[in-house]
Amino acid sequence: DVKVTQSSRYLVKRTGEKVFLECVQDMDHENMFWYRQDPGLGLRLIYFSYDVKMKEKGDIPEGYSVSREKKERFSLILESASTNQTSMYLCASSLLAGGNIQYFGAGTRLSVL
Amino acid sequence: KQEVTQIPAALSVPEGENLVLNCSFTDSAIYNLQWFRQDPGKGLTSLLLIQSSQREQTSGRLNASLDKSSGRSTLYIAASQPGDSATYLCASSGSRLTFGEGTQLTVNP
């Protein structure tokens, strides 16, 4: 079975802090994704990556950056956390681009105070 | 820009009932249509994927259909059980996934 592991289930941070959310997949997938999920807005794509050291902006990249130094690991970085970044963050991976099944991690619920 | 809509937003049924969840999308140029399940506070679990060339997919008590021409997909759940209670999301796949907001299903014992 594919396993996508997010390092933290819950995080509480202060405004202005630099925050790292880590995601690791164990199936040698090419593609990895970061989403945020908010009530009434659904899942929105923040960033994705089709290969090591490669990144593409999604629909809401502002205030975020990403890092993919190794194939299995995709990190989401909040350079200076703000209260409007309080959300559920979901990482996903898929074997190939386009129409492949995406496998999701359990999510990280981030609260920025 | 693709838009995906799910109706109803919430549904409550007695155990044993057959039910249908609806998903509509505005752009028919998709690779596939995926259905996911999400339990409270958890990530998403893939249930079914229907390729654009297919009409339906089945897994156990679940059957998903796809009508690209009308921009619609349905998820049929037979003989519902309390364990089916969750939020069900559909997502259309073009260059990226576009998600609906989900249908929150409650199956009452």
Side-chain angles (χ1 to χ4, degrees):
Chain A
D1 280 352
V2 176
K3 192 166 184 181
V4 179
T5 303
Q6 294 183 231
S7 54
S8 304
R9 290 298 313 277
Y10 303 95
L11 274 179
V12 180
K13 298 292 182 180
R14 294 188 181 278
T15 302
E17 278 192 78
K18 190 169 185 176
V19 181
F20 293 85
L21 302 183
E22 306 286 346
C23 176
V24 177
Q25 51 93 4
D26 66 356
M27 284 300 291
D28 204 33
H29 283 176
E30 300 291 331
N31 307 292
M32 298 187 75
F33 308 82
W34 275 107
Y35 297 88
R36 62 178 285 176
Q37 185 177 29
D38 301 286
L41 296 175
L43 274 88
R44 293 178 290 167
L45 181 64
I46 305 171
Y47 266 98
F48 59 102
S49 169
Y50 287 146
D51 201 352
V52 175
K53 296 189 185 291
M54 178 274 178
K55 61 185 178 184
E56 292 282 346
K57 293 180 180 179
D59 298 319
I60 51 163
E62 297 78 18
Y64 303 94
S65 62
V66 290
S67 172
R68 194 167 181 200
E69 296 295 319
K70 294 184 178 181
K71 192 175 186 180
E72 67 270 19
R73 186 179 298 270
F74 192 35
S75 303
L76 180 69
I77 304 160
L78 287 66
E79 296 289 342
S80 177
S82 64
T83 55
N84 63 13
Q85 292 178 310
T86 292
S87 186
M88 170 71 107
Y89 289 87
L90 292 164
C91 173
S93 73
S94 70
L95 180 59
L96 298 170
N100 264 228
I101 293 175
Q102 290 191 13
Y103 296 89
F104 282 78
T108 296
R109 183 162 296 280
L110 173 66
S111 296
V112 182
L113 306 177
Chain B
K1 182 183 175 184
Q2 178 75 284
E3 292 183 4
V4 178
T5 304
Q6 291 187 246
I7 294 174
L11 182 63
S12 181
V13 301
E15 182 177 3
E17 193 162 296
N18 301 326
L19 57 101
V20 174
L21 308 181
N22 296 292
C23 172
S24 61
F25 47 95
T26 55
D27 185 353
S28 62
I30 61 173
Y31 292 122
N32 59 52
L33 192 292
Q34 299 181 38
W35 283 93
F36 294 86
R37 169 183 172 139
Q38 185 175 31
D39 292 291
K42 302 285 182 65
L44 278 66
T45 300
S46 180
L47 296 173
L48 289 165
L49 181 151
I50 314 174
Q51 297 292 354
S52 62
S53 58
Q54 296 175 318
R55 297 282 293 181
E56 64 179 78
Q57 278 286 334
T58 298
S59 176
R61 293 183 294 110
L62 305 179
N63 175 276
S65 68
L66 175 64
D67 183 345
K68 274 184 59 178
S69 62
S70 66
R72 293 181 182 177
S73 177
T74 62
L75 179 67
Y76 175 82
I77 303 176
S80 59
Q81 303 171 357
D84 294 331
S85 298
T87 296
Y88 292 81
L89 296 105
C90 68
S92 69
S93 179
S95 58
R96 60 185 68 175
L97 285 183
T98 302
F99 287 84
E101 290 194 35
T103 294
Q104 185 173 354
L105 173 66
T106 302
V107 181
N108 301 300

